[in-house]
Amino acid sequence: MKSILIPGLALALVATPVLAQSPATRDPVQIQAGTYAVDPGHTQVGWRVSHMGFSNYAGGFSDVSGSLTLDPKNPAASKLSVKIPVASVTTTSAKLTDELKGDQWLDAGKYPTMTFVSTKVAPAGKDHAKVTGDLTLHGVTKPVTLDVTLVGAGANPLNKKYTVGFEATGTLKRSEFGVKTYVPLIGDELHLTIAGAFERQD
């Protein structure tokens, strides 16, 4: 048994530092230009609203798809298009999750997709930008501006795909998109946080 464990432990000790070293860079100059696709398994869309002023209640969406055209030398020329299946909404309460999918809230049956299509990218520093775009939710389209921060870019050491990641935050009023149930008892302001990972397409 000892003869099996010792080589295995030695291998683990050698491999761990390699995996622990981040392959990502936050230097925009080193990022590869090109067309990227959303990595749905590592992209998260979170939301938060005030619950009667007692707490900030959070949930999320999954199965995001979309594309990113990235030009690090000319960030303003970059373009983003994202699709979010409304029925993917989730909370820690199964009952509430089902209610949110219904016609009193998001009405996923009638409006199955939420989209964001960028119309303007304004660099705001070395690794920040303000991205304005048309957000379509519940059949209504309105402009929304997201504050975007570069998280990092590089070759994924596991699948070898070149990946770039961003974090974006923004706020919208759900009533302006026709989702008015329990306003103002349940907060009108919907705070979004998007952890987006994109894989370069060859």
Side-chain angles (χ1 to χ4, degrees):
M1 179 64 74
K2 184 181 292 186
S3 62
I4 296 175
L5 289 177
I6 292 176
L9 180 59
L11 179 61
L13 291 173
V14 170
T16 298
V18 175
L19 292 178
Q21 295 173 358
S22 172
T25 177
R26 298 195 70 233
D27 183 357
V29 176
Q30 298 183 37
I31 297 176
Q32 297 180 10
T35 300
Y36 291 74
V38 170
D39 174 4
H42 298 96
T43 295
Q44 299 173 310
V45 178
W47 53 265
R48 187 181 78 252
V49 295
S50 171
H51 182 255
M52 302 183 186
F54 299 132
S55 64
N56 293 315
Y57 195 86
F61 295 94
S62 57
D63 300 322
V64 181
S65 61
S67 63
L68 169 68
T69 302
L70 188 61
D71 184 356
K73 294 183 179 179
N74 183 18
S78 298
K79 297 180 180 179
L80 173 67
S81 178
V82 174
K83 294 182 179 180
I84 303 169
V86 173
S88 71
V89 67
T90 185
T91 71
T92 53
S93 165
K95 180 180 179 181
L96 177 57
T97 296
D98 287 341
E99 288 181 4
L100 291 178
K101 296 177 185 180
D103 58 9
Q104 295 299 307
W105 291 88
L106 298 175
D107 202 352
K110 187 175 182 179
Y111 308 108
T113 307
M114 183 192 322
T115 62
F116 179 83
V117 179
S118 67
T119 56
K120 180 180 179 181
V121 176
K126 181 179 178 180
D127 52 9
H128 290 75
K130 289 188 177 293
V131 179
T132 299
D134 292 326
L135 178 70
T136 300
L137 169 65
H138 203 251
V140 178
T141 300
K142 287 185 173 294
V144 170
T145 298
L146 301 175
D147 292 314
V148 179
T149 302
L150 170 67
V151 176
N156 185 320
L158 298 180
N159 63 15
K160 310 307 179 186
K161 294 182 179 180
Y162 191 85
T163 302
V164 60
F166 298 91
E167 181 169 282
T169 59
T171 303
L172 60 91
K173 288 191 174 182
R174 61 185 179 92
S175 62
E176 294 182 351
F177 291 85
V179 185
K180 302 178 181 179
T181 304
Y182 297 144
V183 172
L185 191 61
I186 303 299
D188 192 12
E189 284 198 341
L190 183 72
H191 301 272
L192 291 174
T193 301
I194 304 166
F198 299 81
E199 296 177 336
R200 190 171 186 273
Q201 305 300 290
D202 295 327

